[in-house]
Amino acid sequence: MAANKELVLKMYEEMLKIRLFEEATIDVYQKGLMPGLAHPYLGEEAIAVGACTALENDDFITSTHRGHGHLMAKGGDMKKMMAEIMGKKTGYCKGKGGSMHIADVSLGILGANGIVGAGLPIAVGSALSSKRKNNNKVTACFFGDGASNQGTFHEALNMASIWKLPVVFVCENNQYGYSTAISKHIAIENISDRAISYGFPGITVDGNDVEEVYEAVKVAVERARKGEGPTLIECKSYRWTGHSVGDPGTAYRTREEVTENKAKCPIIKYGKKLVENGLATEENLNNIKSSVQEMVKEAVEYAIASPLPDENEIYQDLYV
Amino acid sequence: MRKIRYVDALIEALREEMIRDEDIFIIGEDIGPFGGAFKTTLGLYEQFGSERIIDTPISESGIIGTAVGAAATGCRPIAELMFGDFVTVAMDPIVNQAAKMRYMFGGKLKLPLVIKTNYGSGRSAAAQHSQSLYGWFTNVPGLKVVLPSTPYDAKGLLKTAIRDDNPVLFFEHKLLYTVTGEVPEEEYTIPFGVADIKRAGRDVTIVATGYMVTKSLQAAEELAKEGIDAEVIDPRTLVPLDKATIIQSVKKTGRLVIVDEGHKTGGITGELAAIVVEEAFDYLDAPVQRLGSLDVPVPFSPSLEKIFAPSEKDIIAAVKKIC
Ligand SMILES: Cc1ncc(C[n+]2csc(CCOP(=O)(O)OP(=O)(O)O)c2C)c(N)n1
Ligand SMILES: [Mg+2]
């Protein structure tokens, strides 16, 4: 890993893209430019980036309501994302979906999803399709700790297992489902243990360590491609913000807890590591930051300048 | 009379009923200390504790199924779904279990169960968090369907729902939660199956549901300025339905406009129109007008969402078409 300088810098940049994009998203909301809501991915960047870096371009992902990070890491276009978040005609879904429904099937992104747990069986279906078509594609399925309590999670894991489907279940354990702390909704220590009952490997990794996530998903992807079936990878991290942009996230957890977890920032941590290992200089990292800042700024400007959809588009795209 | 918000009227009903009957508990996601995503249980956890205000994992099918089992065995559960759209995740316990158990078992048990949730567009919440799906449940015998449109109705109908020995689906419009209205301090309940004439009028009958009552009343005021006197009827419960009040009104006005936020196709506007055509055809002086949401998923962008559900303007236009 450490040897591949290009790859590690790319992962750093990708995480920073998500970070700055999400900060801009919150800003856009606070300025009243976003209709509805969004669920920020701040603090969880290493999971999307580590996992998507282990995928090929034509592999699939299913995403969640907290999807901006997944979309970006899978190659999503910032401009189209921001435009969609603002409900503009130039957005990924022509303004019809918004933050919670961004999709780009050409990039293998089968959509963010507003229904918790709905992505899991869809990922199984996508993996079944790859198996039938024998095209060697893998599906990575992102979902939260909360989602692992839906029936769909259990049904999906079992089906993927009996049919040895090429799917990697990536659980983003950010310690909360909305206001509910994990200790109140799950009685076991590691969600990855749930894989045991379905007969395939489950592991827990540090979701704030992009290389650890990458390595784990890479192994799982190889296993999937070889036809050996699914893997469950639980990535432990932390949701820095409230549940959504409208929730301060302070009613059900202490400031100390948030501060403590923010100190484990996956991006700062990785930047330090790269500098220490001589893979980057502070200057390199600063340059990356400036270029990403510019990108995000352009995306916001593009979105603001874009028109809203015309009323006559309301009936378009319903049926083929 | 004092004025309180719709959401506070609902909480008051929950609180009073829970004090009255120990068998009542509430079960749902983030309803405890957090007070619910729409603050519909705020303060109840502090009063009744975790045994009666039960926070659950994200497991809608489990929540409703559990409530059905508890209702079948002597409890009086109130299950809250965070968004009305999530009824889809819990469809089996609602449709195949709750609605049918009593009948299938030959009347051997009762299911005093309330499924309490919200509905409606207008908040840029997009296709999976904005639907008005209550109409579906009118097509499932064994369920009762309630749609309160004011704080007064919200409190009185919720109390009746809680005291009913059958499964009741209770749909609150998200845009109504912060609306204030008169609610007496004294105890009262509102019987199911009794429509409310929200505005009396001579020229045209507007039957409207939920939030569409608000819009219809606004439209009626505009129409009054032009000399059209509209009667606005709120059925309040779709099952059971007060046909008599609607038919009586149509017999008086001879004209009918039906306004509902569900999709027009296959929705309840068609059912209401059919009832009037069947039972009061000879009294109609003009074709029945139906307004429902457009037959597309709820679009996200405000420029599209604003034409999705019937508006005051649409209602005025529909009335003028036949008056
Ligand atoms: C079926 C369903 N139930 C409830 C919700 C409301 N809701 C949206 S996100 C969320 C919490 C999800 O928790 P988790 O799966 O851990 O994901 P996270 O938000 O932490 O990323 C809830 C309860 C929903 N959107 N869909
Ligand atoms: Mg979570």
Side-chain angles (χ1 to χ4, degrees):
Chain A
M1 173 96 267
N4 192 338
K5 192 167 166 178
E6 203 181 315
L7 187 71
V8 298
L9 285 178
K10 179 92 182 115
M11 293 207 294
Y12 182 82
E13 180 182 351
E14 287 298 317
M15 287 198 289
L16 204 58
K17 272 167 64 181
I18 297 170
R19 172 69 53 90
L20 299 189
F21 183 87
E22 288 299 67
E23 287 174 355
T25 304
I26 293 169
D27 187 51
V28 156
Y29 171 77
Q30 286 168 347
K31 286 183 176 144
L33 296 171
M34 180 200 300
L37 292 174
H39 303 84
Y41 198 65
L42 291 182
E44 303 177 46
E45 297 89 347
I47 306 173
V49 172
C52 288
T53 307
L55 298 174
E56 298 298 329
N57 283 340
D58 60 356
D59 284 333
F60 293 109
I61 65 165
T62 60
S63 173
T64 67
H65 57 285
R66 200 177 302 288
H68 301 173
H70 313 139
L71 308 170
M72 190 97 68
K74 192 69 174 58
D77 176 342
M78 256 189 212
K79 286 184 175 166
K80 289 190 196 167
M81 282 176 62
M82 194 54 93
E84 187 59 37
I85 289 166
M86 289 194 207
K88 299 300 180 75
K89 187 182 171 117
T90 54
Y92 259 123
C93 315
K94 305 175 196 169
K96 291 204 172 88
S99 165
M100 249 189 314
H101 305 294
I102 300 179
D104 185 345
V105 179
S106 70
L107 294 171
I109 300 166
L110 298 174
N113 208 315
I115 301 299
V116 170
L120 286 128
I122 293 173
V124 170
S126 145
L128 177 65
S129 166
S130 298
K131 190 175 179 182
R132 285 180 57 88
K133 291 177 183 293
N134 204 15
N135 61 16
N136 216 25
K137 292 185 193 181
V138 168
T139 301
C141 170
F142 293 100
F143 60 96
D145 47 288
S148 77
N149 293 323
Q150 285 285 33
T152 50
F153 167 89
H154 298 274
E155 295 176 25
L157 264 65
N158 188 48
M159 288 163 85
S161 180
I162 56 173
W163 298 327
K164 289 205 179 322
L165 295 179
V167 54
V168 181
F169 296 106
V170 183
C171 179
E172 305 183 301
N173 180 353
N174 60 10
Q175 315 296 325
Y176 286 87
Y178 208 147
S179 77
T180 307
I182 186 147
S183 58
K184 295 193 182 141
H185 70 76
I186 288 178
I188 54 174
E189 181 69 26
N190 294 318
I191 293 171
S192 60
D193 286 350
R194 292 186 168 178
I196 298 166
S197 57
Y198 299 106
F200 60 85
I203 59 164
T204 296
V205 301
D206 178 358
N208 294 327
D209 185 325
V210 69
E211 291 192 3
E212 204 176 313
V213 175
Y214 170 81
E215 296 293 355
V217 175
K218 200 162 175 262
V219 170
V221 166
E222 277 162 19
R223 184 180 133 81
R225 277 203 225 286
K226 278 190 280 182
E228 290 168 12
T231 307
L232 171 60
I233 299 171
E234 175 191 15
C235 307
K236 287 198 170 158
S237 182
Y238 193 77
R239 197 190 73 203
W240 282 19
T241 66
H243 172 63
S244 66
V245 283
D247 168 28
T250 45
Y252 44 85
R253 55 189 195 178
T254 62
R255 281 180 200 285
E256 292 74 54
E257 183 192 298
V258 177
T259 312
E260 213 173 278
N261 278 283
K262 278 187 163 185
K264 300 176 194 160
C265 174
I267 302 177
I268 295 179
K269 182 171 148 181
Y270 199 49
K272 265 198 195 134
K273 182 174 169 183
L274 295 186
V275 173
E276 273 164 21
N277 293 350
L279 287 159
T281 62
E282 288 292 347
E283 201 194 340
N284 292 150
L285 301 186
N286 285 334
N287 287 343
I288 292 176
K289 187 165 184 182
S290 324
S291 84
V292 173
Q293 274 168 338
E294 194 51 37
M295 250 185 257
V296 172
K297 195 167 148 250
E298 277 173 25
V300 174
E301 285 167 1
Y302 172 82
I304 290 174
S306 292
L308 289 164
D310 300 327
E311 288 184 6
N312 62 19
E313 292 173 41
I314 198 161
Y315 284 112
Q316 289 170 13
D317 301 315
L318 184 57
Y319 298 106
V320 176
Chain B
M1 204 189 293
R2 68 171 179 156
K3 285 190 167 184
I4 60 172
R5 298 183 309 163
Y6 184 93
V7 63
D8 296 322
L10 290 166
I11 294 172
E12 228 176 61
L14 293 171
R15 175 174 289 124
E16 290 172 12
E17 292 303 298
M18 288 187 73
I19 291 169
R20 189 186 54 75
D21 187 344
E22 289 269 313
D23 284 334
I24 299 168
F25 66 83
I26 313 183
I27 183 167
E29 292 161 15
D30 302 285
I31 63 165
F34 191 62
F38 289 89
K39 301 297 164 206
T40 47
T41 51
L42 201 65
L44 297 178
Y45 180 86
E46 288 68 22
Q47 185 170 352
F48 298 103
S50 58
E51 297 286 310
R52 293 185 72 193
I53 307 294
I54 305 176
D55 263 330
T56 67
I58 306 171
S59 309
E60 286 79 10
S61 181
I63 294 166
I64 304 298
T66 300
V68 171
T73 50
C75 292
R76 305 189 74 89
I78 301 168
E80 189 189 274
L81 292 172
M82 192 183 285
F83 280 82
D85 308 70
F86 309 157
V87 294
T88 54
V89 183
M91 223 42 177
D92 179 70
I94 299 174
V95 174
N96 286 321
Q97 313 305 327
K100 298 177 173 55
M101 278 169 82
R102 178 179 174 81
Y103 184 83
M104 289 188 307
F105 299 169
K108 287 212 180 55
L109 54 72
K110 56 180 191 176
L111 275 174
L113 160 68
V114 180
I115 297 171
K116 194 175 164 297
T117 190
N118 54 55
Y119 76 96
S121 59
R123 298 174 81 250
S124 296
Q128 297 173 341
H129 287 75
S130 306
Q131 296 170 90
S132 300
L133 300 175
Y134 44 80
W136 288 357
F137 301 100
T138 64
N139 197 234
V140 181
L143 302 175
K144 296 187 179 182
V145 181
V146 185
L147 279 152
S149 69
T150 65
Y152 177 84
D153 288 353
K155 185 173 177 188
L157 290 168
L158 184 52
K159 286 196 157 210
T160 303
I162 293 169
R163 295 178 193 184
D164 199 295
D165 280 338
N166 301 287
V168 177
L169 282 97
F170 196 91
F171 285 90
E172 304 151 9
H173 199 289
K174 283 167 268 181
L175 296 180
L176 287 174
Y177 280 134
T178 54
V179 167
T180 56
E182 290 187 341
V183 177
E185 317 227 2
E186 317 76 69
E187 157 85 9
Y188 70 97
T189 58
I190 298 172
F192 286 177
V194 179
D196 188 34
I197 302 175
K198 290 279 193 273
R199 183 190 195 281
R202 290 181 319 265
D203 300 331
V204 58
T205 301
I206 303 176
V207 176
T209 61
Y211 185 53
M212 290 298 132
V213 173
T214 307
K215 292 198 177 181
S216 298
L217 287 170
Q218 289 162 353
E221 289 315 308
E222 287 304 309
L223 288 162
K225 290 180 195 159
E226 302 182 36
I228 299 173
D229 188 20
E231 177 146 299
V232 178
I233 295 181
D234 174 2
R236 300 198 288 202
T237 58
L238 298 178
V239 180
L241 180 68
D242 178 0
K243 293 182 190 179
T245 299
I246 297 170
I247 285 165
Q248 211 174 0
S249 175
V250 170
K251 286 184 176 173
K252 177 174 69 174
T253 64
R255 293 178 162 79
L256 175 62
V257 175
I258 305 164
V259 195
D260 177 59
E261 196 171 334
H263 294 293
K264 189 169 170 185
T265 302
I268 63 155
T269 60
E271 180 65 24
L272 292 169
I275 289 168
V276 171
V277 167
E278 272 175 349
E279 300 187 21
F281 183 77
D282 291 340
Y283 294 87
L284 285 168
D285 295 328
V288 175
Q289 302 296 304
R290 294 190 293 137
L291 295 174
S293 286
L294 301 184
D295 287 332
V296 294
V298 187
F300 167 68
S301 185
S303 71
L304 301 178
E305 192 183 24
K306 75 170 196 279
I307 59 166
F308 172 77
S311 67
E312 191 187 320
K313 251 174 53 193
D314 297 331
I315 300 166
I316 292 171
V319 167
K320 284 188 175 171
K321 206 172 150 191
I322 54 168
C323 280

